[in-house]
C-alpha cells in the first residue's frame, strides 16, 4: 500500500508582474566636477504577486483553496550597459522600489537607461517569527518565470549653457568693420544649440543702421599763466613752459623748552629764495620740509623732534639732564628740494635746496638758552648765494640735521637740533646740533642751520634769500600749455550685422567707445540664459598696424605666405586635411611679427574625438593664453592635422603651450574630454575605458619623450614607445631629423635662417628670422591605441589611453612651460576640429 501524507505546499507559486512601471525622468544637471547634490531624479517601480486557486499537492481530490502568500518580493535596480547597481554617495535605494540619483552631471548622465527586477522569495510555513498551525498554514513555491524585469526608463538631464570663449575688446578705424565673437553652447549637444542676442550700449540689436546723437569729450590746448603753491610732496608736469619763477622755503626750527628762571630760545628761521628757472617741458618734483617741533620742560625726553622732509629732515633737539628738570632743545627744520626730470639720472636730480632752520637750545635753571652756533650767527643756515657750489654741476647728497646734545652738567638744558639741507664740500659745519647747557650756569646752545643752494645750469639767483618761519613750501609761476576739456555733439552712425549669431560685425563713422555684450539662451537649459563679459568696441581715427606674416608649410620647398594685420580682426589657424603627397596638407604654421614686438592673445581648441553610433567622442580641451611675440622670432603651430588633431605651440623649438584632444568613442562608451592647460585628460566611459593623460605641471616636461601606442612612428633612443593601450609623453623641445643629424641639440636655436623641412630641404620663400624649430621629430603623437571596438585616446602633452572592449578612449592633457599667461583654461569645451585663434591685445 502506498504511503500517503497530506502537505500544505503549493506546487505552483505566484505570478509576478509590475503594477507600477518606472517611467522616464527629466532633471536639471550640474557641471562636470561639481559636488553639488542638486540635480535629482527618482524612479519608482512596484511589483505584485498574483496567486491562482488550486489544490494541495498531497490531496488531489481536496477542494480548491487559495494559496497562502508567505513569501516576500525583493528588488534590484539595473543600468543598461552597466549592470546591477549598489548604493553609493549619489545613488540610493538600489534594492528598493525607489531609485534616487543625485549630483546628475550634464552631459555624462543624460540618456542613461534603468530598469527594475523583481524576485519572489517563498517562506515555508510562514514568515520568520510568525506562529502557524501545521495543516492550516500553507507555503508557496517560487514565482513562475522569475525574476521579472520592468520596462526601461530613460534619464534626461537638461544641459547647462556654457561660454567656452568670452568676447574680447576690439578696435578699428572709422568706417572699417570689426568683429566681436563669443564661443558658447550647451554642455550636451543632444538638446540642440543656443540662440544669441547682442546688446550695444545696453540696448538689444537688430541688423541694420543705428543713428544717434552722441557727445564726444575731448581736449584743446591753451597757453595760460599758472600760479600754484604746494605744501606737501608733489610732482608737476610743465608743457612748453616760459617765464618760470620758483620760490622755495624750508621748515624753520623749533623753540627750546623752559626751566625755572631760564627761558628756551626761539627757533631759527629757514631759508627762503626766489629763483628764475629754465623754460621748456619737464616734470618737477617738490619735496617739502616741515618745521621742527618745540622742546618741552622735563628730563632726557624733553627734546623736540626734527621737522620731516623726504629730502633731508631736521635733527632732533637734545633732551634735558636726567637727574632733575630743565628745558629740552627744539628740533631742526626739514629742507625743501626741487628735482628736475631733465637732469641726468645718475644722481638725485636735485636743482634747488632751501635749508631748514636750526632748533633753539633749552633753558637751564636760572640761565636762558645760548645763541646759535651757525657761521652767520642766526642758525638759519647757509644762503643760496654763498652755497651755490653745493649743487652747481654735480649731484647733491642731502644732509639731515644732527641732533642736539642732551644730559648736560647737572640738569642743564638740551641743545637745539641742526637744520636739514644740502651737503656742500667746502663749507662746514652745517646742520650740526647745539651743545647742552649746565645747570644754574648756562643754557643749551642752538643748533646750526642747513645749507641752501642751486644748480646754475637750471636756475639763476641774485642774493642770499630771506628767512621763513613755519613749514616749508614751493610756489611756482609760469606760462604753460594746459588741456581744456571740450564737448562736441555729433550724429554717430553704427552699422551692425550678425546681431543674433555668435559673431557681431560692427563699424562706426565716429571716433569713440561703445560697449557690447551678448545674451546666450536656450529654453531647455537649466540656467536658461547667460551673459558674456562686457567688452569695448573702440573706433579710432588713425590706423595702428599689427602685422603678422604666416608661412603655411607642407612637404614642398615652397610655402603659402599670408600677410595679415591683427588690427583688422582676429586670425584663425584651422586644421588641415588633404593628400600629403600633393603638398596640400599644412604640417606647420610658422608665423612672426616683422615690424615690432606685439602683445597677442591666442585661443587653443583641441579636436573633438570621433563618435561611434550613439556614443559621442570627447570634447577637446580649451585654453586662452597671452604672450608677447618678439619681432622677427619664429613661432610655430604644429598638430593641426588629421593624425594629431590638437595644437602644439612653439617659440622657436620650445613647446610653450598645448591642449588635449578628446578621446574617441567606442561602441559602448563615450570618449573622455581633453584637458586645457594645467588640466589632466578625462577618462573615457565604459567598463574598460582608457585613462586620461596625466597632468605635467608647468615647465616640467622632460627632454626625452614617449610615442603613444597608436602611432606607427618609431622612436630613436633614448626616446621610447608605449605599449597598447597606453598613451605617451611629448618633448619639451623638438629634436627634428636634419638638425639632429647636424649635431644640433633639441633646445638650441639654429640661427637667423629660413625654415627647413625634416630632410633639410630649405623652404625657399620663408623669411630669414631667428629660428629654432626642428621639423620631422617632435613626439606630439601621444595617443593610446584602442582594441576590440574601443576608442583611441586623444593626443596631448600626455596622451589618453585607448579603450578596450567597446569602451571610450581617454582625453589628452594640456601643458605650458610657464612663459605665457593663462587667461582661461578648462576640461573640454571644444566641439569641433582643432584650431587656433590669434588676436592683438593692448
Amino acid at each position: 500500500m502506498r504511503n500517503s501524507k497530506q502537505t500544505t505546499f503549493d506546487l505552483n507559486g505566484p505570478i509576478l508582474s509590475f503594477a507600477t512601471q518606472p517611467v522616464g525622468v527629466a532633471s536639471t544637471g550640474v557641471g562636470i566636477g561639481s559636488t553639488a547634490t542638486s540635480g535629482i531624479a527618482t524612479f519608482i517601480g512596484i511589483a505584485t504577486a498574483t496567486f491562482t486557486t488550486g489544490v494541495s499537492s498531497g490531496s488531489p481530490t481536496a477542494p480548491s483553496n487559495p494559496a497562502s502568500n508567505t513569501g516576500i518580493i525583493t528588488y534590484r535596480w539595473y543600468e543598461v550597459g552597466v549592470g546591477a547597481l549598489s548604493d553609493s554617495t549619489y545613488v540610493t535605494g538600489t534594492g528598493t522600489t525607489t531609485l534616487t540619483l543625485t549630483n546628475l552631471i550634464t552631459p555624462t548622465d543624460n540618456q542613461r537607461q534603468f530598469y527594475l527586477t523583481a524576485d519572489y522569495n517563498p517562506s515555508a510555513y510562514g514568515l520568520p517569527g510568525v506562529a502557524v498551525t501545521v495543516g492550516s498554514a500553507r507555503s508557496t513555491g517560487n514565482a513562475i518565470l522569475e525574476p521579472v524585469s520592468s520596462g526601461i526608463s530613460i534619464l534626461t538631464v537638461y544641459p547647462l549653457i556654457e561660454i567656452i570663449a568670452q568676447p574680447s575688446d576690439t578696435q578699428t578705424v572709422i568706417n572699417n568693420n570689426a568683429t566681436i565673437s563669443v564661443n558658447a553652447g550647451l554642455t550636451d549637444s543632444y538638446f540642440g544649440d543656443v540662440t544669441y542676442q547682442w546688446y550695444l550700449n545696453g540696448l538689444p540689436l537688430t541688423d541694420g543702421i543705428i543713428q544717434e546723437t552722441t557727445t564726444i569729450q575731448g581736449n584743446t590746448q591753451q597757453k595760460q599763466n599758472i600760479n600754484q603753491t604746494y605744501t606737501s610732496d608733489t610732482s608737476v608736469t610743465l608743457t612748453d613752459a616760459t617765464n618760470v619763477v620758483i620760490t622755495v622755503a624750508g621748515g624753520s626750527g623749533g623753540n627750546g623748552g623752559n626751566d625755572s628762571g631760564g627761558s628756551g630760545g626761539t627757533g631759527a628761521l629757514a631759508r627762503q629764495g626766489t629763483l628764475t628757472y629754465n623754460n621748456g617741458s619737464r616734470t618737477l618734483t617738490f619735496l617739502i620740509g616741515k618745521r621742527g617741533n618745540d622742546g618741552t620742560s622735563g628730563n632726557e625726553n624733553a627734546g623736540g623732534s626734527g621737522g620731516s622732509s623726504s629730502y633731508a629732515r631736521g635733527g632732533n633737539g637734545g633732551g634735558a639732564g636726567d637727574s632733575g628738570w630743565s628745558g629740552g632743545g627744539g628740533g631742526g627744520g626739514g629742507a625743501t628740494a626741487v628735482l628736475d626730470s631733465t637732469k641726468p639720472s645718475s644722481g638725485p636730480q636735485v636743482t634747488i635746496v632751501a635749508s631748514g632752520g636750526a632748533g633753539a637750545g633749552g633753558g637751564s635753571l636760572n640761565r636762558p638758552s645760548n645763541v646759535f652756533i651757525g657761521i652767520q650767527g642766526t642758525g638759519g643756515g647757509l644762503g643760496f648765494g654763498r652755497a651755490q657750489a653745493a649743487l652747481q654741476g654735480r649731484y647733491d647728497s642731502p644732509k639731515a640735521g644732527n641732533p642736539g646734545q642732551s644730559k648736560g652738567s647737572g640738569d642743564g638744558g638740551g641743545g637745539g637740533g641742526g637744520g636739514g639741507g644740502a651737503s656742500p664740500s667746502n663749507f662746514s659745519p652745517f646742520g650740526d646740533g647745539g651743545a647742552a647747557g649746565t645747570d644754574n650756569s648756562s643754557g643749551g646752545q642752538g643748533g646750526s642751520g642747513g645749507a641752501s643752494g642751486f644748480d646754475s645750469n637750471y636756475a639763476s639767483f641774485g642774493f642770499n634769500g630771506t628767512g621763513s618761519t613755519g613749514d616749508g613750501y614751493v610756489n611756482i609761476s609760469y606760462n604753460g600749455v594746459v588741456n581744456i576739456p571740450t564737448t562736441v555733439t555729433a550724429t554717430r552712425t553704427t552699422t551692425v550685422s550678425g546681431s543674433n549669431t555668435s559673431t557681431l560685425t560692427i563699424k562706426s563713422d565716429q571716433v569713440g567707445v561703445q560697449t557690447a555684450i551678448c545674451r546666450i539662451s536656450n529654453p531647455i537649459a537649466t540656467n536658461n540664459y547667460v551673459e558674456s563679459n562686457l567688452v569695448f568696441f573702440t573706433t579710432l581715427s588713425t590706423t595702428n598696424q599689427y602685422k603678422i606674416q604666416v608661412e603655411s608649410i607642407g612637404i614642398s620647398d615652397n610655402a603659402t605666405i599670408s600677410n595679415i594685420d591683427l588690427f583688422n580682426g582676429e586670425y584663425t589657424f584651422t586644421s588641415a586635411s588633404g593628400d600629403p603627397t600633393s603638398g596640400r596638407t599644412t604640417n606647420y604654421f610658422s608665423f612672426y611679427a616683422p615690424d615690432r614686438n606685439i602683445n597677442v592673445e591666442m585661443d587653443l581648441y583641441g579636436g573633438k574625438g570621433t563618435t561611434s553610433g550613439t556614443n559621442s567622442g570627447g570634447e577637446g580641451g580649451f585654453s586662452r593664453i597671452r604672450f608677447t611675440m618678439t619681432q622677427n622670432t619664429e613661432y610655430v603651430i604644429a598638430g593641426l592635422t588629421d593624425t594629431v588633431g590638437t595644437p602644439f605651440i612653439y617659440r622657436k623649438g620650445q613647446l610653450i603651450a598645448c591642449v588635449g584632444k578628446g578621446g574617441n568613442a567606442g561602441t559602448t562608451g563615450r570618449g573622455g574630454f581633453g584637458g586645457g592647460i594645467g588640466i589632466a585628460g578625462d577618462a573615457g566611459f565604459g567598463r574598460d575605458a582608457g585613462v586620461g593623460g596625466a597632468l605635467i605641471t608647468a615647465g616640467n616636461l622632460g627632454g626625452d619623450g614617449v610615442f603613444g601606442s597608436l602611432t606607427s612612428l618609431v622612436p630613436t633612443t633614448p626616446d621610447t614607445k608605449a605599449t597598447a593601450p597606453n598613451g605617451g609623453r611629448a618633448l619639451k623641445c623638438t629634436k627634428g631629423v636634419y638638425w639632429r643629424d647636424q649635431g644640433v641639440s633639441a633646445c638650441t636655436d639654429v640661427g637667423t635662417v629660413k625654415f627647413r623641412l625634416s630632410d633639410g630641404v630649405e623652404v625657399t620663400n620663408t623669411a630669414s628670422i631667428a629660428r629654432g624649430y626642428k621639423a620631422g621629430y617632435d613626439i606630439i603623437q601621444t595617443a593610446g591605441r584602442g582594441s576590440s571596438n574601443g576608442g583611441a585616446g586623444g593626443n596631448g602633452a600626455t596622451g589618453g589611453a585607448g579603450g578596450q572592449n567597446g569602451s571610450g578612449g581617454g582625453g589628452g592633457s594640456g601643458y605650458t612651460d610657464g612663459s605665457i599667461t593663462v587667461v582661461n583654461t578648462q576640461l573640454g569645451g571644444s566641439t569641433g576640429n582643432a584650431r587656433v585663434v590669434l588676436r592683438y591685445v593692448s
Side-chain angles (χ1 to χ4, degrees):
M1 178 179 179
R2 176 179 295 177
N3 186 18
S4 172
K5 184 176 179 180
Q6 183 173 343
T7 74
T8 59
F9 179 73
D10 289 325
L11 291 177
N12 296 321
I15 298 173
L16 283 178
S17 62
F18 277 91
T20 301
Q21 289 277 358
V23 296
V25 176
S27 172
T28 60
V30 297
I32 292 174
S34 172
T35 58
T37 55
S38 57
I40 302 174
T42 300
F43 298 89
I44 299 175
I46 301 174
T48 59
T50 304
F51 294 86
T52 60
T53 57
V55 297
S56 170
S57 60
S59 179
T61 61
S64 296
N65 294 311
S68 181
N69 182 10
T70 60
I72 59 173
I73 299 174
T74 60
Y75 296 94
R76 176 59 58 187
W77 286 93
Y78 287 77
E79 182 176 354
V80 174
V82 175
L85 301 178
S86 299
D87 284 9
S88 60
T89 303
Y90 301 119
V91 181
T92 58
T94 58
T96 71
T97 59
T98 302
L99 173 67
T100 301
L101 308 175
T102 58
N103 186 237
L104 296 176
I105 305 295
T106 170
T108 56
D109 286 334
N110 185 44
Q111 299 301 294
R112 291 171 66 185
Q113 300 179 16
F114 302 91
Y115 64 92
L116 178 63
T117 64
D119 199 354
Y120 185 81
N121 291 341
S123 178
Y125 302 107
L127 299 173
V130 179
V132 297
T133 303
V134 175
S136 63
R138 300 170 60 200
S139 174
T140 59
N142 291 324
I144 299 170
L145 299 178
E146 67 177 351
V148 294
S149 298
S150 71
I152 293 175
S153 55
I154 298 175
L155 171 64
T156 300
V157 179
Y158 292 136
L160 294 167
I161 300 171
E162 63 175 357
I163 296 179
I164 299 167
Q166 292 280 0
S168 296
D169 297 339
T170 187
Q171 58 184 16
T172 187
V173 294
I174 290 174
N175 292 323
N176 273 24
N177 280 327
T179 58
I180 307 174
S181 297
V182 62
N183 186 357
L186 297 176
T187 53
D188 194 341
S189 58
Y190 177 86
F191 293 95
D193 207 346
V194 296
T195 59
Y196 300 87
Q197 176 61 62
W198 286 94
Y199 290 74
L200 189 66
N201 305 322
L203 299 175
L205 287 176
T206 57
D207 289 358
I209 294 174
I210 305 166
Q211 284 193 326
E212 57 188 327
T213 299
T214 183
T215 299
I216 303 174
Q217 301 295 333
N219 289 292
T220 60
Q221 291 187 330
Q222 293 183 6
K223 199 155 189 176
Q224 292 184 350
N225 179 261
I226 294 99
N227 189 299
Q228 183 68 49
T229 299
Y230 299 95
T231 58
S232 60
D233 291 0
T234 308
S235 291
V236 175
T237 299
L238 310 185
T239 302
D240 196 20
T242 58
N243 300 324
V244 182
V245 177
I246 301 177
T247 299
V248 187
S252 62
N255 299 326
N258 300 320
D259 195 359
S260 178
S263 60
T266 301
L269 300 178
R271 280 293 174 180
Q272 171 182 291
T274 300
L275 301 94
T276 301
Y277 207 82
N278 288 352
N279 295 333
S281 299
R282 54 177 36 88
T283 296
L284 298 178
T285 299
F286 306 140
L287 305 179
I288 309 298
K290 299 296 185 179
R291 177 185 183 275
N293 292 293
D294 294 342
T296 60
S297 299
N299 57 16
E300 69 270 18
N301 297 318
S305 58
S308 65
S309 170
S310 300
Y311 174 72
R313 65 170 292 131
N316 294 330
D322 58 4
S323 61
W325 188 94
S326 56
T336 295
V338 176
L339 283 67
D340 190 325
S341 64
T342 66
K343 189 171 183 178
S345 59
S346 55
Q349 299 176 283
V350 177
T351 57
I352 302 173
V353 175
S355 66
S364 299
L365 179 63
N366 297 318
R367 293 291 186 272
S369 165
N370 285 335
V371 297
F372 297 91
I373 66 171
I375 287 179
Q376 297 191 324
T378 64
L382 197 60
F384 293 92
R386 292 189 60 195
Q388 178 172 316
L391 297 175
Q392 185 175 7
R394 70 188 193 91
Y395 306 107
D396 180 63
S397 299
K399 178 173 177 54
N402 291 324
Q405 294 180 8
S406 62
K407 300 182 181 180
S409 174
D411 290 325
S423 180
S425 60
N426 56 344
F427 291 96
S428 180
F430 288 97
D432 284 348
T438 302
D439 191 32
N440 208 23
S441 176
S442 63
Q445 193 173 53
S448 170
S452 303
F454 65 94
D455 189 333
S456 60
N457 295 308
Y458 294 84
S460 57
F461 183 74
F463 58 96
N464 264 352
T466 59
S468 175
T469 185
D471 289 334
Y473 66 89
V474 172
N475 174 270
I476 183 169
S477 173
Y478 64 97
N479 293 325
V481 174
V482 296
N483 289 325
I484 306 298
T486 59
T487 300
V488 178
T489 301
T491 299
R492 179 171 62 194
T493 300
T494 304
T495 305
V496 299
S497 61
S499 57
N500 297 121
T501 70
S502 61
T503 300
L504 178 69
T505 300
I506 182 171
K507 66 179 179 181
S508 176
D509 67 347
Q510 295 288 336
V511 171
V513 179
Q514 302 185 66
T515 61
I517 192 171
C518 188
R519 175 176 288 190
I520 302 104
S521 306
N522 183 288
I524 298 176
T526 300
N527 48 355
N528 196 251
Y529 74 87
V530 296
E531 289 185 342
S532 71
N533 293 344
L534 184 75
V535 296
F536 296 98
F537 165 61
T538 304
T539 307
L540 305 175
S541 61
T542 58
T543 302
N544 294 313
Q545 293 184 327
Y546 303 102
K547 290 184 177 180
I548 301 292
Q549 184 150 318
V550 179
E551 302 164 341
S552 302
I553 301 169
I555 63 172
S556 73
D557 63 354
N558 193 272
T560 299
I561 307 298
S562 302
N563 293 301
I564 62 174
D565 187 349
L566 294 181
F567 183 81
N568 296 325
E570 60 192 26
Y571 181 81
T572 301
F573 300 87
T574 57
S575 293
S577 61
D579 180 7
T581 61
S582 68
R584 291 200 302 269
T585 293
T586 297
N587 293 326
Y588 314 103
F589 292 99
S590 174
F591 59 103
Y592 65 97
D595 299 329
R596 54 180 167 143
N597 296 349
I598 298 179
N599 297 324
V600 296
E601 184 175 81
M602 183 179 280
D603 293 344
L604 278 59
Y605 294 86
K608 184 176 184 292
T610 59
T611 295
S612 177
T614 59
N615 297 305
S616 177
E619 295 179 3
F622 169 80
S623 293
R624 173 171 287 176
I625 64 176
R626 287 181 179 176
F627 59 93
T628 299
M629 289 183 61
T630 305
Q631 182 182 3
N632 289 324
T633 296
E634 172 189 54
Y635 294 82
V636 173
I637 302 174
L640 297 187
T641 59
D642 293 338
T643 55
V644 178
T646 195
F648 288 75
I649 314 300
Y650 296 86
R651 182 187 293 111
K652 299 181 182 177
Q654 182 158 333
L655 179 64
I656 61 173
C658 72
V659 296
K661 180 181 181 294
N664 292 348
T667 55
T668 62
R670 301 180 184 184
F673 286 10
I677 291 173
I679 300 176
D682 188 28
F685 291 81
R687 292 181 181 273
D688 299 310
V691 298
L695 173 64
I696 298 178
T697 55
N700 287 319
L701 196 61
D704 298 326
V706 181
F707 281 110
S709 56
L710 177 63
T711 185
S712 60
L713 296 175
V714 178
T716 299
T717 304
D719 303 320
T720 58
K721 184 174 180 178
T723 58
N726 298 320
R729 185 184 66 251
L731 297 166
K732 69 175 181 179
C733 296
T734 60
K735 295 183 177 180
V737 177
Y738 168 78
W739 290 112
R740 180 188 62 198
D741 293 343
Q742 305 306 306
V744 180
S745 61
C747 294
T748 301
D749 294 347
V750 297
T752 302
V753 296
K754 297 178 182 291
F755 191 95
R756 288 185 183 269
L757 302 177
S758 62
D759 58 3
V761 172
E762 185 178 79
V763 183
T764 56
N765 62 336
T766 58
S768 292
I769 57 173
R771 297 187 186 267
Y773 188 85
K774 304 163 189 70
Y777 190 95
D778 46 20
I779 308 189
I780 59 177
Q781 303 82 3
T782 58
R785 180 182 297 277
S787 64
S788 301
N789 296 317
N795 291 298
T798 53
Q804 312 298 301
N805 301 314
S807 299
S813 70
Y815 171 78
T816 177
D817 68 344
S819 67
I820 49 93
T821 299
V822 180
V823 179
N824 185 28
T825 186
Q826 70 176 70
L827 180 70
S830 175
T831 58
N833 291 334
R835 68 186 189 279
V836 173
V837 180
L838 181 68
R839 65 181 66 88
Y840 162 77
V841 289
S842 58

